[in-house]
Amino acid sequence: MRAVRNGATGAVMLVLTLATTATAADKKEFKYTVGPGATVTVVNEFGPVTVKGASGRQVVIVATMHSDKVQVNSSQAGNRVVARTYAPQRTSEEEGRVEYEVLVPQDASVTVRSATGPIRAERLRGDVMLEGDAATVEVREVSNAHVHVRTVNGPITLTNISKGHVEITSVGGNVQLTSVSGPKVTVNTTKGTIHYSGNFGDGGDYLLNNHSGDIEVLLPTTASVDITAQSIKGSVEQDFPLREKQHTSFVPSPGRSFAGTLHDGASSVRLRSFSGKIRVKKQ
Amino acid sequence: MTCAEFQKVLPYIIETGGNAEEEGHLESCPICSDLVQDLKYIAEQAKLLVPMHDPPAGVWHGIKGALEREGFIRPAAMVLPLRAPVAVFSPARWGTAGQLAAIAALVLIALGIMLYRNRDRRTPTHATINVTQPAVQPMAAAPVVVDDDDIRLLEAVEQQAPAMADTYKASLESVNAYISDARKRVEEDPADAEAREHLLQAYDQKSMVYEMALARSLQ
Amino acid sequence: MTQAKKQIAPGLSEAEAIDRAKRGDAESFEALYGLHKRRVYSLCLRMTGNTAEAEDLTQEAFLQLYRKIATFRGESAFSTWLHRLAVNVVLMHLRKKGLPEVSLEEALEPQQEDGPKKDIGARDNVLAGSIDRVNLERAIESLPPGYRIIFVLHDIEGYEHNEIAEMMGCSIGNSKSQLHKARMKLRDLLKVSRAEKATRR
């Protein structure tokens, strides 16, 4: 084959990897060199995927297979790296399990899809898109980048995320946000509970919305927020001396809704539940 | 290099080119050269094929009927604003003309609610789904959870990713309950903008479940 | 013309139609259908080779579209989003029917069942300039389903092998191998068709 060049020159390098004769655990390692703004995608039905930002311009993928019924395909096309678990026939969770450990440049955009996970991503400055059906998802230390997470019922935890758009959606998974701030933060669940601990900083627009789960917010007294909370069939309570909002047609309903401002009201915060309980407590 | 050897690797080099030996064979062998020329010509001609078939009229009628039954479409006059400002329904703020407009808006919303009431009603419960059964016809008093599309979706998940079947079943029950609660609230109080927001969010969530199940069943 | 400006009905751009469709406007649904029906139906027909299935799948693709239209945020062109959705609908249907899986053995040792062996040692006239659209469409229709799907996705619809591998759950090598077999088969069919035409003259 013609010689291939790595990096952002648009060349294509294909590495086709097949499972070898069955061993207890078969490990494959792939290394690629990428340019700035690379994208890395990992698709893995069963098993954990951990992605960490590291210095340098290498993408390192270590995949550990536990049966010969699965294989791992990995390829690079220009600045795009894709690793995927492939099973020619349907496998059980145990047979199909592959564990991925991935190191990427910190500015790489990362996409991970896994049914069972868990999925972990940390120390990144590129966009993060994580999707897991029943996977536990954890994201830490991401700044100046968008974070999008979707699960069907996997719990989601975000810690120390800042300066990007955050969009979290889960039907039944509980969502825990600690020190998460940005220009736009949106969390939607159907019955998952939503816990937010932080100051709703960055002068952002925050929406925490669910159907029947509870929404609990731990807020420092120094937070600067314009906050509205409504629960149609549930209840609301809060610990703060909120300044009443002027020039608004919003009519608070004691026990069901409240609205007000703390300090300058730099960030807009909407807490919305259909039938859950909303609590805003002092941190 | 023989023709057999060249043609064995041809699938993997036809688009990107081969090594020196392979390229050399291609240049010197008229048979393989003709073959490659033909295959590239077929690929080029295929690119020129434009979509040229229209579906029969019945396809649109089927789509429209399904959308009306599911409540996705309503006549142009009843299109609800995505985010109805609460102020629209505060007559004191807008004066007489505004009051008339607000009343007209409420009438239109009420008409929209009547359309909901005339469709099959399904009350929210947590019905058990047996995904091996064929699709059931919805009945007026039947539990809300399982419509035909939900059953088909769960069958597909059961077939392609059985480990995820319970996850998707429980999630569909949850989002359907959300839709049902929000819809009922909108019917009770058409002026409730929050309830309409919840209804949109509920549909969004259901859409996500379908999207993820679809992707799941293709893997 | 950008999506925002493309007029699909008097006074209605595609972007406006999408926005109105999100809010339940029936006319906008119909306008979007009118704009995209041919491409979606042609895709379904080429991939399945069956008009009844293509009609059902077209209907299903548009229903999926309308159910999900609220989630369309404009990150890609609407037509691209719809097209990908339609491909997924067809593939899911074919998979439920028992889509012929690409075997692992083919990836290990690609076999070419016909075409090359016949050609070795015998030169034939090239096809260039002798294919018309009708014959090509007919030949595509008579491809075995597994070959036809990958040929349609790659050569007609323009998907890359890594995208096809992801959609089909196969390896990139398998995708290339199947595409090659599809093209070889088409080559044979088109040569037969050309020969038949010549004998009728």
Side-chain angles (χ1 to χ4, degrees), chain B residues 5-6 13-14 27 81 108 132 139 155 160 166 197 211:
Chain B
E5 287 166 345
F6 176 82
I13 64 170
I14 189 166
E27 276 166 27
L108 287 175
T132 59
M139 296 168 63
E155 282 172 355
Q160 300 299 331
D166 286 345
E197 290 284 348
E211 203 174 302

Side-chain angles (χ1 to χ4, degrees), chain C residues 18-84:
Chain C
I18 293 166
D19 195 49
R20 288 174 68 83
K22 285 182 182 182
R23 288 179 277 141
D25 176 42
E27 282 179 15
S28 296
F29 276 121
E30 191 163 2
L32 289 171
Y33 173 77
L35 183 65
H36 295 289
K37 64 181 179 183
R38 179 174 285 196
R39 187 155 185 230
V40 171
Y41 181 69
S42 293
L43 168 77
C44 294
L45 187 57
R46 286 185 178 134
M47 284 181 76
T48 61
N50 179 293
T51 52
E53 282 183 32
E55 287 168 25
D56 286 345
L57 291 169
T58 300
Q59 188 166 313
E60 184 57 33
F62 276 98
L63 281 173
Q64 297 271 0
L65 166 78
Y66 294 139
R67 287 184 193 122
K68 295 176 186 184
I69 199 164
T71 66
F72 178 69
R73 306 255 185 265
E75 301 96 340
S76 62
F78 184 78
S79 59
T80 305
W81 187 66
L82 168 57
H83 193 261
R84 185 62 184 255

Side-chain angles (χ1 to χ4, degrees), chain A residues 45 90 133 152 190 230 272, chain B residues 159 168 171 194 205 216:
Chain A
E45 178 85 356
R90 193 179 305 153
D133 305 48
V152 178
T190 296
Q230 283 180 292
R272 204 163 64 198
Chain B
Q159 196 176 34
Y168 277 90
S171 296
E194 280 295 302
Q205 292 257 301
R216 173 67 40 232

Side-chain angles (χ1 to χ4, degrees), chain A:
Chain A
M1 297 281 283
R2 196 180 291 159
V4 174
R5 302 203 186 327
N6 292 333
T9 59
V12 175
M13 179 172 77
L14 170 69
V15 176
L16 180 69
T17 301
L18 307 172
T20 56
T21 309
T23 56
D26 189 6
K27 203 172 268 205
K28 301 276 177 204
E29 182 170 302
F30 310 94
K31 282 186 183 168
Y32 308 97
T33 302
V34 294
T39 61
V40 178
T41 300
V42 178
V43 180
N44 184 38
E45 178 85 356
F46 300 123
V49 180
T50 300
V51 182
K52 293 182 184 173
S55 57
R57 299 245 53 95
Q58 282 234 304
V59 174
V60 180
I61 300 172
V62 177
T64 306
M65 292 159 279
H66 291 271
S67 81
D68 60 355
K69 294 197 163 70
V70 285
Q71 65 185 67
V72 172
N73 291 353
S74 179
S75 65
Q76 177 182 14
N79 226 15
R80 190 158 53 98
V81 173
V82 178
R84 184 190 164 90
T85 303
Y86 166 56
Q89 286 144 17
R90 193 179 305 153
T91 59
S92 67
E93 198 171 323
E94 207 179 303
E95 288 170 334
R97 181 183 171 84
V98 178
E99 293 146 17
Y100 282 85
E101 298 270 345
V102 183
L103 291 178
V104 302
Q106 288 187 343
D107 64 348
S109 291
V110 170
T111 299
V112 177
R113 284 202 289 277
S114 173
T116 60
I119 304 173
R120 289 188 190 90
E122 59 183 75
R123 294 201 309 266
L124 297 165
R125 283 183 284 105
D127 293 343
V128 177
M129 278 149 291
L130 309 176
E131 196 173 286
D133 305 48
T136 299
V137 178
E138 289 177 24
V139 186
R140 315 177 64 86
E141 321 294 335
V142 176
S143 65
N144 295 98
H146 299 326
V147 176
H148 291 249
V149 181
R150 301 199 306 182
T151 69
V152 178
N153 71 355
I156 300 168
T157 304
L158 268 59
T159 309
N160 292 338
I161 313 291
S162 62
K163 298 187 171 55
H165 288 188
V166 175
E167 195 171 316
I168 310 295
T169 312
S170 179
V171 176
N174 296 333
V175 179
Q176 170 84 45
L177 307 176
T178 305
S179 298
V180 173
S181 62
K184 193 170 171 71
V185 176
T186 305
V187 179
N188 279 304
T189 73
T190 296
K191 61 177 200 175
T193 58
I194 304 174
H195 288 265
Y196 180 93
S197 174
N199 64 0
F200 292 116
D202 282 359
D205 188 339
Y206 295 78
L207 170 64
L208 310 182
N209 178 95
N210 67 13
H211 172 224
S212 55
D214 292 344
I215 299 177
E216 189 159 294
V217 170
L218 289 177
L219 190 65
T221 53
T222 52
S224 177
V225 294
D226 180 324
I227 187 167
T228 309
Q230 283 180 292
S231 182
I232 293 177
K233 303 247 164 141
S235 64
V236 304
E237 53 188 73
Q238 59 93 9
D239 293 346
F240 292 84
L242 296 176
R243 222 164 48 244
E244 240 180 66
K245 290 175 25 151
Q246 305 296 318
H247 308 296
T248 174
S249 56
F250 178 83
V251 178
S253 169
R256 285 263 199 269
S257 65
F258 66 79
T261 307
L262 275 181
H263 299 289
D264 295 334
S267 293
S268 162
V269 177
R270 285 174 293 156
L271 310 175
R272 204 163 64 198
S273 181
F274 191 90
S275 57
K277 192 182 290 188
I278 300 177
R279 281 186 290 250
V280 181
K281 296 178 175 172
K282 284 184 187 167
Q283 209 171 45

Side-chain angles (χ1 to χ4, degrees), chain C residues 9-198:
Chain C
L12 184 68
S13 70
E14 188 182 40
E16 285 160 356
I18 293 166
D19 195 49
R20 288 174 68 83
K22 285 182 182 182
R23 288 179 277 141
D25 176 42
E27 282 179 15
S28 296
F29 276 121
E30 191 163 2
L32 289 171
Y33 173 77
L35 183 65
H36 295 289
K37 64 181 179 183
R38 179 174 285 196
R39 187 155 185 230
V40 171
Y41 181 69
S42 293
L43 168 77
C44 294
L45 187 57
R46 286 185 178 134
M47 284 181 76
T48 61
N50 179 293
T51 52
E53 282 183 32
E55 287 168 25
D56 286 345
L57 291 169
T58 300
Q59 188 166 313
E60 184 57 33
F62 276 98
L63 281 173
Q64 297 271 0
L65 166 78
Y66 294 139
R67 287 184 193 122
K68 295 176 186 184
I69 199 164
T71 66
F72 178 69
R73 306 255 185 265
E75 301 96 340
S76 62
F78 184 78
S79 59
T80 305
W81 187 66
L82 168 57
H83 193 261
R84 185 62 184 255
L85 192 152
V87 168
N88 284 342
V89 166
V90 176
L91 289 178
M92 188 159 86
H93 167 77
L94 293 171
R95 196 173 282 271
K96 275 161 72 172
K97 271 181 64 175
L99 177 74
E101 298 283 356
V102 175
S103 69
L104 184 58
E105 287 71 31
E106 283 178 342
L108 289 170
E109 203 164 308
Q111 296 293 333
Q112 291 160 13
E113 299 134 359
D114 50 17
K117 293 191 178 62
K118 286 191 233 158
D119 286 316
I120 295 169
R123 198 174 179 187
D124 198 352
N125 290 326
V126 291
L127 283 171
S130 68
I131 297 178
D132 63 62
R133 192 186 71 183
V134 172
N135 278 331
L136 181 56
E137 289 269 20
R138 210 173 278 152
I140 293 167
E141 270 172 48
S142 32
L143 281 175
Y147 294 176
R148 184 175 59 234
I149 289 160
I150 292 191
F151 181 81
V152 169
L153 288 176
H154 187 277
D155 281 356
I156 299 179
E157 301 296 338
Y159 286 95
E160 301 288 345
H161 284 294
N162 60 318
E163 293 173 306
I164 294 170
E166 193 174 323
M167 285 192 282
M168 302 286 290
C170 68
S171 66
I172 292 170
N174 289 353
S175 175
K176 289 185 174 184
S177 168
Q178 291 290 84
L179 176 66
H180 181 72
K181 289 180 185 176
R183 288 174 178 167
M184 291 297 291
K185 187 75 183 168
L186 283 171
R187 184 178 184 245
D188 288 346
L189 291 168
L190 290 165
K191 289 195 169 193
V192 166
S193 165
R194 183 176 66 180
E196 282 172 353
K197 217 193 233 179

